[in-house]
Amino acid sequence: MAGTALSLQQFIASLDKTCLPKILQVCSGVYFQGSIYELSGSEVCFSTGDLIKVTDIELLSVSCEDISNNETFELPLNHTGVFKLVPEGFPYSTVEEMVSLRPLGLDSSLPFSFTSCSEMTFDNFTLGAGRAVTMVSIEQRKGEEDRVRCHLQGQQGASAEVLIPLSCQGEFYECESKECFTLKEIMSSPCLCSRRFHFNNTTMCGRPLVLHPIYQVQAIMHLRKNVVKFPSSLEVDVVDVTEQCKDVNFVTPLTLIEVLSQPDELFPTMAEILEESETRPVLHCSWLPELSKGQHLVLHKKGTSAMVLASSLKGRKAQQFFLVSQQYGGRFRRRPREFSSVYELYVASARAPGLRVSVTRNSEEVEEEGLPALSVGEQLEVVRCERVELACGGSKGQRQTTEALVCQRFQEFSEDDDDNEEEVEEEEREELILPLYMQSHFVEKITDNKKYRFKDLDKDFTLPLDVKVVSRDTELETDPLVGFPSLRLEAALLEPTIQASLPRSPEHCFQIPARWLSMTVSFTQDPLPWPKDQPPKCHVDTVTEVTDRFYYEFCKQTDSDETPPPRPPKRKPLSSKASSKKASSKSSKRTSSKPDSPKDLPARPPNSSLTKEFSNLTFTSKKRPPAPPPPTTLHDSPPPINPRKPTAGLISGKALPNTYVKVEDSKRNATVCDVHADVDSDHDYESVDETLAEMVKRAQETVLFYS
């Protein structure tokens, strides 16, 4: 055992992170009521003589020790309180010694104050014993001794300045500084970590404190495969044996990204999974459940694979996403793309000029927004995008400038019209202005019926592209892309991958996207599962299904700086006449749709007093008008509120006479006595006068209720 034994806390606190890894040997210690415990999900067991290879440290918190009673407490790194330095009790023999022991260097720690125990004289200036002197700067002159510039506060506010050589000897004591430090500043300075502090806010704790950083240590233990994590506050004594144990073979855990950095000569090799991915996986494939902790893998090679991200169209079934290798052996046929706005047409035409589409939904003309009318079946060809002036807000003479697509609207001809097509096409073509903010529905016009491979699609077209698999990849047992009516090839990407397989079937390989799986593996010395120098012929899965989380994360990483589609212009308020007409039309529609509207009530003469009563009521208004005066035939007191009779009682088996027909005055007062009720009916029928009286009561009840 070489070197000096230190506590784990002292060793980790003094450790420079750039010097890792370090190999430590355990000397002794007490381990939480025993030698085996579990921390951060890892079972840790330290015994005397164990070797620990420290690979990383991370600051977790700060332990504060009250030196007056040895009590300790922890503070998080984001603690908002600040601390002041406690002056050292021992004297400094020279000014240079006092300056060199300042915590953050002279430039950043000035000014600070000190006192001298004896009287001193500098350049005809006498400094009395016990007087506080404030050091403000250092003076360096070529060929002369360095000196510090100090201020001395005199009586009645007067001050003096003196230059003191750094070599000046005496007995100097540090005064308390007004400078405050945060926990992060203290932990980032080795000099500050060795000093004592107290809270600037003395109500918390005014006693001196010693601050100790607590780190989370990530290490590998000898003869153990998993990575362990433990705090540096464990009561363990260790010694540094890095130089003596250079040749000791530790299991080296590697992330998949670190596997990519290994030399090509190491492949193919055997590996063991030490830690499987703990997060929700972004892959949805058959081989992913096999990648569990302790599983052995054959790593054939590493590299970068050209892939395309494909997605199925949204529909009744859940949308699916795939990573398709450029080595995919199936064939595709192009499918027409659908667009739901003019802006989508603009984006597609910018990538592939000469785009032709067909209108799939009628659009009415909106003059105040500059939107033209479109009919189903019309053919459009995108020509260019430019800024145009369009009418806005429905006001005459007011126009605004906006981005728009200039398209040509033309008539589609049959094969019989080939001879006259050119002449007619010139006459039938019409220029059309479509603002980018216009919402409509289009479908791409495709006359191509050719079958393509991936490499051909990449040469001739730009993504995104809608395709359909018309012939499967014969190298795959089951081709997951077959059966979809349409697939959208979203984007091409170069993905770092590791070609791997399971030992029981080394010829059946799959590609692991290293950036998307957080696994840890270690290389082993196990032999490859095939005869020496006789590697099997590998069949690689060229299609890997991924989850929607992969798709959204990929879109975040590759988010372009494209501007969002423009908004339509704001509609200006209509004129008072137009708005009143519109409001009256709406109110009439609402009134006619009410189930209790006047037209559903029994008929009444137009010149009756009841008609005047109802003319003052507004059934569609929230605020009811005040109650009208009661008819002269009624008493001054309000009528009693009677329960409403069911509407079925008003329906008669015989048709009532049309009371809206104008009749003579002699017949107007006659009751309908000649209309006899059906004796065999179960209903009781009222006369017209009784019905009108009942309706007057209802109208008054309604007015009283809303008034």
Side-chain angles (χ1 to χ4, degrees), residues 130-142:
R131 295 290 301 276
V133 181
T134 302
M135 186 183 302
V136 294
S137 64
I138 185 170
E139 299 286 339
Q140 295 179 339
R141 295 181 182 179
K142 189 175 181 180

Side-chain angles (χ1 to χ4, degrees), residues 338-411:
E338 295 183 3
F339 309 97
S340 59
S341 67
V342 177
Y343 180 76
E344 293 182 10
L345 282 183
Y346 161 69
V347 175
S349 63
R351 296 171 178 170
L355 178 65
R356 285 195 174 193
V357 294
S358 177
V359 180
T360 59
R361 188 175 297 181
N362 292 331
S363 299
E364 296 183 359
E365 181 180 5
V366 184
E367 185 178 356
E368 59 266 22
E369 294 184 7
L371 304 182
L374 295 176
S375 301
V376 173
E378 288 184 339
Q379 311 295 314
L380 303 178
E381 181 178 355
V382 180
V383 179
R384 63 186 180 275
C385 180
E386 62 181 27
R387 296 193 69 85
V388 297
E389 286 189 356
L390 297 175
C392 65
S395 300
K396 295 182 179 180
Q398 292 190 2
R399 305 177 69 85
Q400 74 168 7
T401 303
T402 183
E403 294 282 346
L405 276 188
V406 179
C407 302
Q408 284 190 349
R409 178 162 50 187
F410 58 92
Q411 181 70 33

Side-chain angles (χ1 to χ4, degrees), residues 274-339:
L274 300 181
E275 292 182 1
E276 57 186 294
S277 179
E278 297 179 357
T279 58
R280 186 161 59 95
V282 296
L283 305 180
H284 186 68
C285 44
S286 59
W287 47 264
L288 183 61
E290 301 282 352
L291 305 185
S292 58
K293 185 176 181 179
Q295 175 67 53
H296 286 74
L297 293 175
V298 183
L299 305 183
H300 294 266
K301 61 181 179 179
K302 63 183 181 66
T304 303
S305 301
M307 294 184 172
V308 172
L309 179 61
S311 64
S312 64
L313 298 184
K314 295 180 180 179
R316 295 181 180 178
K317 295 182 179 180
Q319 195 173 15
Q320 293 178 263
F321 305 91
F322 303 91
L323 278 179
V324 187
S325 173
Q326 292 278 13
Q327 305 303 320
Y328 177 75
R331 295 200 176 201
F332 304 91
R333 184 172 286 146
R334 291 184 61 202
R335 296 283 293 172
R337 290 174 289 176
E338 295 183 3
F339 309 97

